[in-house]
Amino acid sequence: MATENEQLLEEQARLREKEDRKFMRQALTQAKKAAAIDEVPIGCVIVCDGKVIARGYNRRNIESSVLGHAELAAMKKASKKLGDWRLEGCTMYVTLEPCQMCAGAAVQARLDRVVIGAMNAKAGCAGSIINLLDMQQFNHQIPITKGVLEQECSQILSEFFKRIRVKKKKRPLTNEEISDTIMDAQPGR
């Protein structure tokens, strides 16, 4: 039989999981905003004292800027709201594992925790390729919770890239592509 202390810890874990799902759903709403403008659907919310204080979604193409990542937008808004670049006491919820730039910014901002929906085997820097959030060489490490609403977070990305591939197949060929096709089809080439 579980002790009273163990029961309390189990209840706290259940409440945290419920809260994590709630806030990840809000990050997914942000990801859908990115998808609606043909951006890679990544969304982020930052929570402080149980309340969302900032939201962000990918806007790299719209802004023509490498800095248009969901996490950076949310951190900038959170810093403005709190009046401090330090985001101590805050948790970041992001639908896709942060890249090196966003993971580094999270460490610099001194976030308390990062909650991740889907991992990113090709560019993730919170455990997939490297874990910048837990490097002991830095002056701050961030605890990570992975896999919150993982299926939903992965699905929105998969559907987006599937739609992109279909669009590319349906588009008319450029003059250069037509010329290359003709040249490739000639005998002796």
Side-chain angles (χ1 to χ4, degrees), residues 20 27 47 52 64 70 103 126 150 157 170 189:
D20 285 350
V47 174
V52 174
S64 297
E150 182 175 14
L157 287 158
K170 286 185 177 179
R189 289 203 140 245

Side-chain angles (χ1 to χ4, degrees), residues 22-156:
K22 171 185 156 186
F23 291 124
M24 188 60 72
R25 281 187 195 91
Q26 292 189 40
L28 274 164
T29 297
Q30 296 303 304
K32 290 173 186 173
K33 289 180 181 181
I37 58 171
D38 284 333
E39 292 278 356
V40 176
I42 301 170
C44 179
V45 296
I46 296 183
V47 174
C48 188
D49 297 326
K51 295 179 183 155
V52 174
I53 61 165
R55 296 170 175 82
Y57 56 91
N58 263 18
R59 296 178 53 86
R60 285 192 310 179
N61 295 323
I62 294 284
E63 294 177 1
S64 297
S65 173
V66 70
L67 302 175
H69 286 217
E71 302 95 320
L72 296 182
M75 283 188 275
K76 185 174 183 176
K77 290 174 187 174
S79 292
K80 187 173 184 175
K81 175 127 182 146
L82 296 177
D84 194 347
W85 59 268
R86 292 174 198 85
L87 299 178
E88 295 163 333
C90 296
T91 298
M92 173 189 286
Y93 291 82
V94 62
T95 57
L96 185 67
E97 179 182 6
C99 69
Q100 66 273 29
M101 176 174 63
C102 295
V107 171
Q108 289 296 314
R110 316 290 199 273
L111 284 164
D112 276 12
R113 188 165 76 107
V114 172
V115 180
I116 300 166
M119 298 303 282
N120 183 354
K122 293 183 179 180
C125 290
S128 288
I129 293 175
I130 189 171
N131 189 349
L132 293 176
L133 302 181
D134 193 34
M135 291 188 71
Q136 297 305 305
Q137 297 90 330
F138 292 145
N139 63 336
H140 181 73
Q141 293 77 40
I142 305 173
I144 304 165
T145 301
K146 302 174 187 175
V148 175
L149 300 182
E150 182 175 14
Q151 184 176 343
E152 294 93 325
C153 292
S154 294
Q155 184 177 352
I156 192 171

